[in-house]
Amino acid sequence: MTQEYRITLLPGDGIGPEIMAVAVDVLKTVADQHSLSFTFQEALIGGAAVDAVGQPLPEETLDKCRKSDAVLLAAIGGYKWDTLPRELRPETGLLGLRAGLELFANLRPAQIVPQLIDASSLKPEIVSGVDLMVVRELTGGIYFGKPRGIFTTETGEQRGVNTMAYSNSEIDRIGRVAFEIARKRTRKLCSVDKANVLEVSQLWRDRITALSAEYPDVELTHLYVDNAAMQLVRAPKQFDTIVTSNLFGDILSDIAAMLTGSIGMLPSASMGASGPGLFEPVHGSAPDIAGQDKANPLAQVLSAAMMLRYGLNQPQAANRIEQAVQQVLEAGYRTTDIQSPGTTVLGCQAMGAALIKSLHS
Ligand code: NAD
């Protein structure tokens, strides 16, 4: 029986429309091969939405997203909108979308592609075989805790304040997402905190430990965040799934991403408790190369694969896309950003055509 899904596409700005076109062709091809049927609907976000309707996240866009099974976003932003007031900036639209869909879990995989191993700043023997996932809490912790602000004390001194706070329910819901993800991978979960110094981290550790009783098949370990940062660059292969708070996850997911060395290859996902997830590349809208057919579409295509695996529970179709990406790289095809001597440089569209050919092979 054909499984039907409604997908909202948000091409956004800069290279967004170019890389989105490639991802849609890839999705259409795997749909035919895996008895899936996608209904795609496009919506405006970011600078494109500001230009068309005067705001970066039109209500109609949020509405379409909420009513879909998954949302695939390319990227937003560009020089043209950088001087607008904050409420009209493209980035405000993206934050509004994440909040509007109540996406509290951010998933950032870091996987070493053997053909691109030289792009990493670490030695090949350290990074070869790295395949990990950072699950970051996205809507709580110090980025949102109150009180916050810059206050003037009685002595007239200024004092900046932020508050790191997590409640049981916030920890439990991100914990459950992480245990479930670990289950779909190699069943190893490392929770990262600073429980030796912070009470909020002690609660985090207690709750994650308690949750592990529900997941006896997943091996749980704990690390302090300073040690985790060291271990990620010392011996990254020891990790499979990492779960951590908003602030620690912000930093650790960037470290993990750079193990792979190439921004045009990195997908991500943001998930809520129910409702559609948001799938997008880690990179921005690359306005410096927009409209020149130079963009690397692979992070967008791998985001579509994440959508299939984590958003729509279609792991076989996801695997097929990831294999096609491996195959085009094995065949020596590269976009400019990941080129090396002896490889064949393709434009964005030609890379898309190579992927489709590989999917048909
Ligand atoms: P960027 O990721 O857009 O670009 C950084 C560098 O990487 C540029 O040289 C760019 O050409 C290159 N690059 C990025 N993606 C590429 C790809 N797929 N193929 C080939 N090269 C690629 O970051 P930036 O320059 O700091 O920001 C540009 C705009 O993007 C800004 O307006 C920023 O706010 C926005 N931005 C959006 C998101 C998002 O939509 N989630 C994320 C980051 C930045």
Side-chain angles (χ1 to χ4, degrees), residues 9 46-47 72 115 120 134 138 227 229 240 246 258 261-262 267 286 295 340:
L9 304 173
L72 188 62
Q115 296 81 5
S120 177
V134 179
L138 204 57
N227 190 11
D240 182 81
N246 204 342
M258 283 324 292
S262 39
S340 56

Side-chain angles (χ1 to χ4, degrees), residues 15 75-78 91 94 280 282-289 295-296 337:
I15 59 170
I76 52 90
E91 292 76 8
L94 184 52
E280 54 177 320
V282 168
H283 63 71
S285 60
D288 52 333
I289 56 165
N296 181 350
D337 57 312

